[in-house]
Amino acid sequence: MTERILVTGGAGYIGSHTILTLLNAGYEVVVLDNLCNSSQESLLRVEQICGKSAWFIQGDIRDRELLDDLFSTQQIDSVLHFAGLKAVGESVKQPLDYYDNNVSGSLTLCQAMACAEVFRLVFSSSATVYGEPTHMPISEDFPTGVPTNPYGRSKLMVEELLKDLAHSDPRWSIALLRYFNPIGAHPSGLMGEDPNGLPNNLLPYVSQVAIGKLPQLAVFGADYPTPDGTGIRDYIHVVDLAEGHLKALQAISHKNGVNTWNLGTGTGYSVLEMIRAFEKASEKPVPFKIVDRRLGDIAECWADPSKAELELGWKTERGLQEMMSDTWRWQLLNPQGYATKRY
Ligand code: NAD
Ligand code: UDP
């Protein structure tokens, strides 16, 4: 029988790409999203690409009544839980919103799942839970560190909550997926990242500079102990990340308890390398200036992805230039993001 997956936050950047992968793999998908940081247009684009659609419910993961109703009317087998707030800077200014959405929201979701006896959950965690490790690459057995902001702490709190939950009841099967830096877009140019207002993350910012929407990029620090002085991260194509979710979902259907997997490429690139690669893909200059370090940033962060390869049979397939050209295609075809008229 076809499995039905509830995807919270499915209208968002990573959720929508994952839904496409799930529909292509033959799953049925129910989306719950309050659209606080997304548009339902992303789901129409999914349908345009694959000819199949997800069932959409506009609502909030903190709404227990809605969740109970959803679980009692839909035969849900597993939950992919993307819903949450993700802007680091905003989390410093509005910590209560972050703990409410990310921690209370996850708690309410788990309570409703337990009540409905749905025990399979894939959670969107982040490499930020490692804090500032002393060496690279980062493997899953590294201790979790001290995240430097409420967003990171909310992710760590949910991880702890989920570990306690799985410990209390062996029926739970939970995947904690620690993402490194998701970038890129679907190769069709129909789906991609559509940040509200000024982008916080490097790639959306670079791409808006290349297209002329923003005058120049501020490079946050060139005095790190890295070869060119700028910060190094492990950038992963969002379609590879989506495929990692499919593999994790399949793995936890025959694995109980909590399993943690890094989803990264294993290679780090500096900010300057990223700028150069984007200029090559777009054939546009990306003017930048070096400014002070951003508070809370670490010098370098990249994954040891070998556990996911061994246990999930998953590894990334898309390289840096592909990430850049897919981002650029999305930017060119959708200068207003999902508000751009469909062609
Ligand atoms: P996104 O903002 O594009 O997607 C999140 C979705 O959740 C949005 O559609 C938003 O409307 C929805 N949402 C937020 N609060 C909700 C609530 N209370 N109820 C229902 N829906 C709600 O973000 P994304 O980049 O797709 O990230 C997805 C998940 O992955 C998030 O949990 C994020 O913290 C995590 N993550 C993202 C990154 C990254 O760099 N993008 C890195 C590590 C982890
Ligand atoms: N960065 C930058 N300018 C920007 C945004 C980011 O120099 O406008 C740098 C940042 O300091 C880090 C890297 O780019 O070294 C990736 O930052 P991003 O916010 O995308 O992801 P993070 O790793 O901080 O979650």
Side-chain angles (χ1 to χ4, degrees):
M1 212 178 75
T2 312
E3 280 191 44
R4 185 174 294 168
I5 316 297
L6 171 64
V7 181
T8 74
Y13 172 47
I14 305 169
S16 57
H17 284 83
T18 304
I19 289 171
L20 180 61
T21 301
L22 291 174
L23 291 172
N24 279 332
Y27 289 87
E28 286 179 6
V29 175
V30 177
V31 178
L32 175 65
D33 198 305
N34 65 6
L35 301 181
C36 70
N37 194 39
S38 55
S39 139
Q40 211 182 324
E41 177 66 22
S42 62
L43 300 175
L44 299 176
R45 303 282 180 101
V46 167
E47 193 177 341
Q48 190 180 347
I49 295 170
C50 74
K52 297 179 194 170
S53 56
W55 181 261
F56 178 67
I57 299 168
Q58 183 166 354
D60 200 295
I61 52 165
R62 295 164 295 178
D63 184 343
R64 177 65 194 272
E65 218 174 298
L66 182 151
L67 288 175
D68 286 342
D69 186 51
L70 191 162
F71 282 115
S72 66
T73 52
Q74 307 269 352
Q75 275 294 319
I76 301 293
D77 296 291
S78 309
V79 177
L80 296 196
H81 176 32
F82 296 95
L85 303 179
K86 63 165 184 177
V88 170
E90 187 182 69
S91 80
V92 176
K93 294 190 189 110
Q94 303 167 26
L96 295 181
D97 289 344
Y98 275 70
Y99 291 120
D100 188 31
N101 262 277
N102 297 3
V103 183
S104 297
S106 300
L107 186 65
T108 305
L109 175 67
C110 290
Q111 285 167 334
M113 287 176 68
C115 210
E117 302 202 340
V118 176
F119 294 109
R120 283 205 296 255
L121 175 70
V122 176
F123 174 60
S124 300
S125 189
S126 164
T128 189
V129 300
Y130 292 113
E132 193 164 4
T134 49
H135 59 281
M136 297 291 139
I138 303 171
S139 53
E140 292 83 349
D141 56 6
F142 276 32
T144 51
V146 186
T148 50
N149 53 71
Y151 165 72
R153 280 190 280 279
S154 76
K155 289 288 167 193
L156 191 52
M157 282 179 194
V158 177
E159 282 204 2
E160 297 299 329
L161 179 164
L162 294 176
K163 284 180 192 161
D164 287 340
L165 186 57
H167 188 68
S168 73
D169 183 339
R171 288 175 297 176
W172 283 93
S173 305
I174 297 176
L176 306 179
L177 300 185
R178 294 179 176 159
Y179 311 160
F180 282 67
N181 288 60
I183 61 167
H186 189 266
S188 63
L190 285 169
M191 296 168 60
E193 188 169 10
D194 184 16
N196 272 336
L198 207 60
N200 297 300
N201 295 110
L202 180 66
L203 243 279
Y205 207 108
V206 165
S207 147
Q208 293 195 13
V209 170
I211 205 162
K213 264 173 109 175
L214 295 169
Q216 71 175 359
L217 172 76
V219 173
F220 298 142
D223 57 350
Y224 284 107
T226 60
D228 67 19
T230 64
I232 293 181
R233 296 290 183 274
D234 183 339
Y235 297 92
I236 171 172
H237 196 297
V238 66
V239 177
D240 278 326
L241 189 61
E243 288 167 359
H245 285 75
L246 175 62
K247 295 289 190 177
L249 183 66
Q250 290 165 342
I252 63 167
S253 64
H254 47 80
K255 243 176 190 264
N256 282 19
V258 172
N259 285 278
T260 304
W261 289 292
N262 282 343
L263 297 184
T265 67
T267 305
Y269 291 102
S270 74
V271 177
L272 296 183
E273 286 174 317
M274 295 297 282
I275 295 172
R276 277 193 289 274
F278 201 87
E279 287 180 329
K280 188 169 162 203
S282 64
E283 298 178 338
K284 299 275 179 203
V286 176
F288 66 88
K289 77 165 182 224
I290 312 272
V291 301
D292 287 346
R293 293 180 180 191
R294 182 171 64 180
L295 213 64
D297 274 358
I298 59 177
E300 50 183 18
C301 174
W302 72 89
D304 173 352
S306 55
K307 183 167 183 271
E309 183 171 1
L310 190 73
E311 296 178 359
L312 303 178
W314 169 91
K315 66 180 170 61
T316 58
E317 286 169 2
R318 295 158 182 88
L320 186 63
Q321 258 348 107
E322 198 169 341
M323 299 186 215
M324 298 306 191
S325 38
D326 289 341
T327 304
W328 182 236
R329 188 176 308 109
W330 156 252
Q331 176 72 70
L332 271 181
L333 294 175
N334 304 270
Q336 311 307 325
Y338 284 117
T340 310
K341 242 173 120 51
R342 249 179 309 160
Y343 48 91

